[in-house]
Amino acid sequence: MKENHTPYALLGLMTAGFHTGYEMKQMMDGSLNHFWKISYGQIYPALKKLVEEGSADVKVTSQEGRPDKKEYVITPSGEEQLRSWLMKPVEDLPVEKNELLLKLFFSRNQEKSVILHQLDSYEEKLQEKRHTYQSIKEMLLREACPSQDTPFWIITLDYGLATTEAAVDWCEKTKVRIKEMKEE
């Protein structure tokens, strides 16, 4: 059975200064979702479990006219749990679900023009993704008071940029191969 990494993501977010479920979800949606997705439906049960296990503490603050605000802070036990997980080697390469690759796999049954259009569309989305990564990286590099986490955030952005560049290159080469294929 695969280990659930959501608790480690949440503990890590706490160490980076994100203390409410809302802040954590905002950070997920703004940055981590490029390589790690977690829904609200996963966040709150996982936070509750971290508190029950003693890996995090929660401070509840009353707010007038709004629900109570819950702020989560990592405990020494949670820090140890996070460090232990960070030291473990990565066990598996991720399995990517990619609709374009699935369609290409069966494209013997498709016209070249449609395949080329699919590849053009995919490449356009990759270019947008690359632009997003570059913009985030530039913003982080411009920060007057960078966080201790910033160099590590940039490393993950560089991975995204490198894989996106490779995918754009693959699209270009694949389009040439498709054009060169003989019609049957």
Side-chain angles (χ1 to χ4, degrees), residues 61-109:
T61 307
S62 295
Q63 301 183 108
E64 194 171 314
R66 293 171 53 194
D68 292 346
K69 181 179 182 178
K70 292 182 179 181
E71 294 181 276
Y72 298 87
V73 180
I74 193 169
T75 63
S77 170
E79 289 173 352
E80 180 57 37
Q81 185 181 356
L82 179 62
R83 269 193 302 278
S84 175
W85 174 73
L86 288 169
M87 291 174 56
K88 288 182 186 177
V90 174
E91 305 242 340
D92 297 313
L93 289 176
V95 175
E96 179 183 6
K97 281 186 168 182
N98 184 314
E99 183 183 1
L100 175 70
L101 293 178
L102 185 62
K103 287 181 178 188
L104 283 174
F105 192 82
F106 298 109
S107 282
R108 176 179 58 83
N109 304 301

Side-chain angles (χ1 to χ4, degrees), residues 1-12:
M1 192 164 133
K2 290 189 117 180
E3 183 176 18
N4 179 7
H5 296 143
T6 297
Y8 304 115
L10 298 176
L11 290 170

